[in-house]
Amino acid sequence: MKTALITGITGQDGSYMAELLLEKGYKVWGMHRRTSTINFDRISHLADKINLVQGDLLDQNSIHNLIEEAQPDEIFNLAAQSFVPTSWSQPLLTGEITGLGVTRMLEAIRTVNPKIRFYQASTSEMFGKVREVPQRETTPFYPRSPYGVSKVYGHWITINYRESYKLFACSGILFNHESPRRGLEFVTRKVTNAAARIKLGLANELRMGNLDAKRDWGYAKDYVEAMWLMLQQDDPDDYVVATGETHSVRDLVEAAFSHLGLDWEKYVKVDQQFVRPAEVDLLVGDSSKARKKLGWQPKVTFRELVKIMVEADMKRQEEALGKTASVY
């Protein structure tokens, strides 16, 4: 039985990764940060199957002690301050967690057990103001937010530790991947949740930023499989994980609202407060290396993903309505 440690286990990717590893017979440890309000909703159904422990990417000792305690064969570093707008309002914290936190993790691996296999969650936001279309592993980075800059640091420090200390350390350059477990602050859930609320008469408009921004959106459950596959190879490497298709935010809005029989143009308003200081206009990934070397490919299409998310939000809103009605 292998043992894996997942940082950020309470997040979208962490919860799907925990499910995947449990299905494969792993013993799973999950690191979460101590806060006054901890949200275990995404992993509540796994509570009796995983070992949840406190740790903090800001604290070297807690990481070191956790690795010594868990003795993992594999570590999936999925923890980060990952919301782009917040990285503008909290750039230093974003750098400490999303950038230097990777170094603290790698340094702990190097000193405790350099045989541990390490996965670093890199991101398409590193490409930012893209130098070529589509983006691949060799595309130069041009990040356009403190989040993107921090992820570039985390990506390159992973490569440096791999080459300098011969660690089995991989980076997955994942393009946008979504699910019903995505936080409401992210554009996909913002849209699908709003569409459900408007359909049920709970809201009458949705305010958005740049509708022309284009992204390569996939299903998070598909993408964690690619992460796992990277650590099963003979040699460590870095891989782009993407669908290879691009859709605008306008496409996303249209797909979500039309699934519920709504005309999005009646409800959606552009609001400048939601436009980024520096926009990333076009992201689309070339995952041919991952498809060839890992045998990975996405299973869920863009339209299917939007449908899954809209229906999940409709169910949530209807359940909330039922609970509210039962109070009176």
Side-chain angles (χ1 to χ4, degrees), residues 18 93 124 136 138 188 224 249 324:
L93 178 65
S124 58
R136 50 184 63 87
T138 54
T188 45
V224 297
V249 175
T324 302

Side-chain angles (χ1 to χ4, degrees), residues 21-264:
L21 295 176
L22 288 169
E23 288 170 8
K24 294 183 179 298
Y26 279 67
K27 181 178 181 181
V28 176
W29 291 69
M31 187 184 96
H32 69 91
R33 191 179 182 193
R34 176 72 181 94
T35 61
S36 57
T37 55
I38 303 173
N39 185 353
F40 290 126
D41 288 352
R42 296 183 183 94
I43 55 169
S44 58
H45 61 298
L46 305 175
D48 59 343
K49 300 175 183 176
I50 57 181
N51 299 300
L52 277 176
V53 285
Q54 290 181 14
D56 196 330
L57 289 180
L58 297 176
D59 180 28
Q60 184 70 49
N61 284 338
S62 73
I63 297 169
H64 187 283
N65 294 339
L66 175 52
I67 292 175
E68 280 199 326
E69 181 183 2
Q71 291 294 311
D73 301 289
E74 300 170 1
I75 293 177
F76 295 89
N77 186 39
L78 310 183
Q81 192 304 99
S82 59
F83 189 45
V84 173
T86 298
S87 79
W88 284 106
S89 60
Q90 299 184 48
L92 298 181
L93 178 65
T94 299
E96 282 284 352
I97 296 174
T98 308
L100 287 175
V102 185
T103 311
R104 295 184 185 102
M105 184 64 69
L106 288 163
E107 188 63 13
I109 291 170
R110 185 183 72 82
T111 55
V112 176
N113 179 8
K115 292 183 179 180
I116 293 171
R117 297 192 169 202
F118 176 75
Y119 172 83
Q120 165 60 14
S122 289
T123 171
S124 58
E125 288 284 335
M126 300 189 304
F127 296 122
K129 191 175 181 180
V130 298
R131 305 288 85 187
E132 65 177 348
V133 178
Q135 295 87 54
R136 50 184 63 87
E137 291 80 7
T138 54
T139 301
F141 299 135
Y142 196 142
R144 300 272 279 171
S145 67
Y147 169 70
V149 172
S150 301
K151 280 292 190 178
V152 170
Y153 176 91
H155 182 82
W156 277 112
I157 201 67
T158 300
I159 292 172
N160 273 255
Y161 267 70
R162 177 171 74 216
E163 295 178 350
S164 301
Y165 299 117
K166 309 305 177 188
L167 298 186
F168 194 107
C170 301
S171 283
I173 307 174
L174 271 59
F175 280 64
N176 296 67
H177 48 289
E178 315 297 322
S179 77
R181 298 181 190 176
R182 179 57 103 179
L184 283 168
E185 69 273 21
F186 289 86
V187 68
T188 45
R189 271 297 307 289
K190 178 180 177 178
V191 169
T192 59
N193 186 65
R197 288 179 58 79
I198 290 170
K199 180 68 175 179
L200 294 170
L202 300 172
N204 54 27
E205 72 172 14
L206 167 61
R207 292 189 171 271
M208 297 290 292
N210 181 12
L211 296 178
D212 296 318
K214 294 182 177 179
R215 296 290 183 272
D216 184 329
W217 277 298
Y219 185 30
K221 196 169 183 178
D222 289 344
Y223 283 37
V224 297
E225 183 183 5
M227 301 178 195
W228 176 78
L229 285 168
M230 290 179 208
L231 298 196
Q232 313 313 309
Q233 305 306 303
D234 292 333
D235 300 301
D237 207 345
D238 306 319
Y239 299 87
V240 163
V241 180
T243 69
E245 296 180 7
T246 187
H247 297 274
S248 67
V249 175
R250 184 178 280 99
D251 294 336
L252 168 67
V253 171
E254 186 278 327
F257 278 71
S258 65
H259 183 66
L260 296 177
L262 299 171
D263 179 358
W264 70 271

